[in-house]
């Protein structure tokens, strides 16, 4: 066997090894890109118009809420996460972990926080009954999810997409039902 034949074999083997390493390194990245980009925590329902008389009582204010659901099998630390409306009213989570596959209601009024209910401790309504957007962001300001109702459901969609917002017009998935003023969409009759 000549020196050039051995060199050619070694060169071919080296090229095959390099291609295998490159392919193996690229596989996880392309597999990660193929997964859908779903939020870990989503806004699952909004009751923006408290049923009954809006008299700013604790009872009335606490019937205005946003539900957040952890869609994963791991708990999520919401410490520092922010839930805000279109006008900039913001609730910041403090020392709160959302259990796997659990839901928490963020009530507008005053109350005692539990694993299933937290309170913004406000003395006035936050969510506009005609149109508004609830937006959830991480402690670093990264967009997680949003839900809109009223005029906002149809206006500004292109602006929202450019700013990293998803278009959440699927009323049943997000619990919006304009006929029932934001109830969670379940029939209670």
């Amino acid at each position: 066997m000549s020196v050039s034949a051995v060199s050619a074999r070694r060169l071919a083997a080296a090229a095959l090894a390099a291609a295998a390493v490159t392919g193996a390194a690229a596989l996880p990245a392309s597999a990660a890109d193929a997964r859908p980009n779903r939020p870990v925590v989503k806004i699952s329902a909004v009751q923006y118009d408290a049923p009954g008389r809006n008299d700013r009582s604790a009872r009335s204010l606490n019937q205005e809420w946003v539900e957040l659901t952890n869609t994963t099998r791991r708990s999520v630390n919401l410490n520092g996460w922010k839930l805000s409306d279109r006008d900039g009213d913001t609730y910041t989570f403090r020392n709160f972990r959302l259990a796997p596959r659990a839901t928490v209601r963020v009530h507008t009024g005053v109350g005692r926080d539990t694993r299933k209910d937290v309170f913004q401790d406000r003395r006035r309504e936050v969510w506009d009954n005609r149109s508004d957007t609830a937006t959830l962001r991480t402690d670093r300001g990264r967009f997680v999810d949003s839900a809109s109702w009223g005029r906002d459901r149809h206006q500004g969609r292109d602006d929202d997409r450019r700013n990293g917002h998803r278009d959440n017009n699927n009323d049943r998935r997000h619990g919006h039902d304009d006929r029932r003023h934001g109830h969670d969409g379940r029939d209670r009759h």
Side-chain angles (χ1 to χ4, degrees):
M1 200 179 276
S2 70
V3 173
S4 63
V6 172
S7 295
R9 282 186 188 161
R10 285 186 182 160
L11 185 59
L16 284 172
V21 169
T22 302
L27 181 60
S30 63
D33 292 342
R35 281 183 276 178
N37 187 13
R38 291 177 290 180
V40 170
V41 176
K42 70 177 186 173
I43 296 174
S44 51
V46 175
Q47 181 161 289
Y48 51 84
D49 185 7
R53 190 169 162 228
N54 290 335
D55 59 5
R56 293 192 181 186
S57 67
R59 181 172 185 228
S60 175
L61 290 172
N62 286 332
Q63 290 184 28
E64 181 182 271
W65 45 257
V66 174
E67 277 186 351
L68 305 179
T69 300
N70 179 353
T71 62
T72 70
R73 294 181 184 155
R74 295 185 177 148
S75 67
V76 176
N77 184 358
L78 298 182
N79 189 41
W81 285 38
K82 296 179 184 327
L83 179 66
S84 61
D85 71 349
R86 185 183 57 227
D87 293 331
D89 294 311
T90 302
Y91 170 74
T92 303
F93 285 88
R94 298 286 178 224
N95 303 317
F96 189 84
R97 291 187 85 72
L98 186 55
R101 308 243 188 253
T103 296
V104 62
R105 272 192 184 171
V106 181
H107 299 271
T108 298
V110 176
R112 187 171 160 243
D113 293 349
T114 68
R115 289 180 312 167
K116 295 186 177 207
D117 296 281
V118 295
F119 298 84
Q120 295 189 45
D121 296 332
R122 295 182 187 272
R123 306 260 182 227
R124 63 172 182 79
E125 294 85 3
V126 171
W127 308 108
D128 189 310
N129 294 345
R130 285 184 226 125
S131 71
D132 208 341
T133 300
T135 302
L136 181 65
R137 294 187 179 276
T138 67
D139 58 332
R140 297 178 187 255
R142 187 180 61 91
F143 174 82
V144 176
D145 199 13
S146 70
S148 296
W149 55 93
R151 289 188 317 261
D152 291 346
R153 290 176 46 197
H154 305 290
Q155 294 177 354
R157 276 191 256 165
D158 292 333
D159 292 337
D160 284 346
R161 285 190 190 128
R162 279 192 295 271
N163 293 322
H165 300 283
R166 290 187 300 123
D167 179 17
N168 288 336
N169 286 330
N170 186 340
D171 288 350
R172 186 166 293 284
R173 187 172 125 218
H174 289 282
H176 307 302
D177 187 340
D178 285 340
R179 290 173 294 125
R180 297 192 53 174
H181 302 289
H183 295 274
D184 61 10
R186 291 176 277 207
D187 191 5
R188 298 193 197 296
H189 301 288

